[in-house]
Amino acid sequence: ILNVEQSPQSLHVQEGDSTNFTCSFPSSNFYALHWYRWETAKSPEALFVMTLNGDEKKKGRISATLNTKEGYSYLYIKGSQPEDSATYLCASQGSTGANNLFFGTGTRLTVIP
Amino acid sequence: KAGVTQTPRYLIKTRGQQVTLSCSPISGHRSVSWYQQTPGQGLQFLFEYFSETQRNKGNFPGRFSGRQFSNSRSEMNVSTLELGDSALYLCASSKDPSGANVLTFGAGSRLTVL
């Protein structure tokens, strides 16, 4: 079992603000780190999968970084919009590379217009 | 192309009953994994199937079981339901059973046990 921690649990930001969240995971037994966005009443949607230390990935206004040596990943949202309101989940994939992911409890983001 | 389809979306059962949930993966995806979400908990891995074989199993009692058919569709079964089994059950599919694969999730089956 891999303990994955996310912080903060929730936050509210004003439209246009930039924000970031943290995901920490055990650096041993690591294969990949996943980020998903989960909007209310919808399915979790994949944002990024990262494997290498120092990886940075970007999709529009959202980007993520990975530090496998110290066991953390940051997710950044630039210029938050109301449609960014969702729960952001990170998940660690163990060293076997099998599809059993260990999820954190998520960061619930609310963007206030 | 069609996404991951889960049925039923909602169901209510009573303690002691059993339930079967179904998951149809994206066409071409042969790995199906199941997760449980209860309030305040992250998604908890139940099991994963590939080529009709269970490859991995999470830390759940034997009341939780599953199977996969030759067309990659999967079912999970929970017998002798307990109140604590009330949860959202999500399935996810991917092309391969291992590697840095993106998982595509269904909308979930919300089970309420009374």
Side-chain angles (χ1 to χ4, degrees), chain A residues 25-48:
Chain A
F25 54 89
S27 54
S28 61
N29 195 23
F30 173 82
Y31 186 87
L33 193 285
H34 297 237
W35 281 99
Y36 290 84
R37 174 170 60 199
W38 196 357
E39 295 179 65
T40 303
K42 294 188 178 180
S43 313
E45 173 194 354
L47 289 172
F48 308 111

Side-chain angles (χ1 to χ4, degrees), chain A residues 43, chain B residues 1-9 21-27 32 34 72-75 89-93 104-109:
Chain A
S43 313
Chain B
K1 62 184 177 184
V4 176
T5 304
Q6 290 189 245
T7 57
R9 290 291 312 278
L21 309 177
S22 177
C23 174
S24 294
I26 287 177
S27 177
V32 175
W34 289 88
S72 296
R73 189 177 72 85
S74 177
E75 288 181 347
Y89 292 88
L90 288 169
C91 88
S93 73
T104 303
F105 283 88
S109 293

Side-chain angles (χ1 to χ4, degrees), chain B residues 30-71:
Chain B
R30 296 195 296 154
S31 169
V32 175
S33 46
W34 289 88
Y35 290 83
Q36 180 199 62
Q37 189 195 38
T38 51
Q41 297 280 323
L43 296 177
Q44 304 287 314
F45 172 76
L46 281 155
F47 26 64
E48 185 217 359
Y49 287 88
F50 178 78
S51 291
E52 303 177 63
T53 302
Q54 185 183 89
R55 288 174 47 89
N56 291 288
K57 184 170 167 55
N59 189 25
F60 280 82
R63 300 184 297 107
F64 291 80
S65 63
R67 58 178 175 168
Q68 186 180 36
F69 302 94
S70 59
N71 62 357

Side-chain angles (χ1 to χ4, degrees), chain A residues 29-33 50-52 92-98, chain B residues 98-101:
Chain A
N29 195 23
F30 173 82
Y31 186 87
L33 193 285
M50 297 180 287
T51 58
L52 300 176
S92 183
Q93 188 174 3
S95 59
T96 65
Chain B
S98 60
N101 301 301

Side-chain angles (χ1 to χ4, degrees), chain A:
Chain A
I1 295 178
L2 303 179
N3 288 322
V4 177
E5 308 275 346
Q6 290 189 247
S7 63
Q9 276 192 323
S10 67
L11 75 162
H12 292 70
V13 301
Q14 290 292 138
E15 182 175 352
D17 286 352
S18 294
T19 188
N20 63 85
F21 334 127
T22 304
C23 172
S24 62
F25 54 89
S27 54
S28 61
N29 195 23
F30 173 82
Y31 186 87
L33 193 285
H34 297 237
W35 281 99
Y36 290 84
R37 174 170 60 199
W38 196 357
E39 295 179 65
T40 303
K42 294 188 178 180
S43 313
E45 173 194 354
L47 289 172
F48 308 111
V49 181
M50 297 180 287
T51 58
L52 300 176
N53 184 48
D55 257 356
E56 289 190 35
K57 295 221 172 175
K58 186 174 181 182
K59 182 186 285 191
R61 295 179 291 100
I62 303 176
S63 60
T65 61
L66 178 66
N67 183 320
T68 61
K69 294 187 187 304
E70 297 179 43
Y72 64 84
S73 175
Y74 294 134
L75 188 80
Y76 300 91
I77 302 179
K78 184 177 177 182
S80 303
Q81 299 296 309
E83 58 265 29
D84 296 328
S85 297
T87 296
Y88 291 83
L89 301 174
C90 75
S92 183
Q93 188 174 3
S95 59
T96 65
N99 281 347
N100 51 317
L101 305 187
F102 297 89
F103 281 85
T105 53
T107 292
R108 186 178 182 89
L109 172 67
T110 303
V111 181
I112 303 164

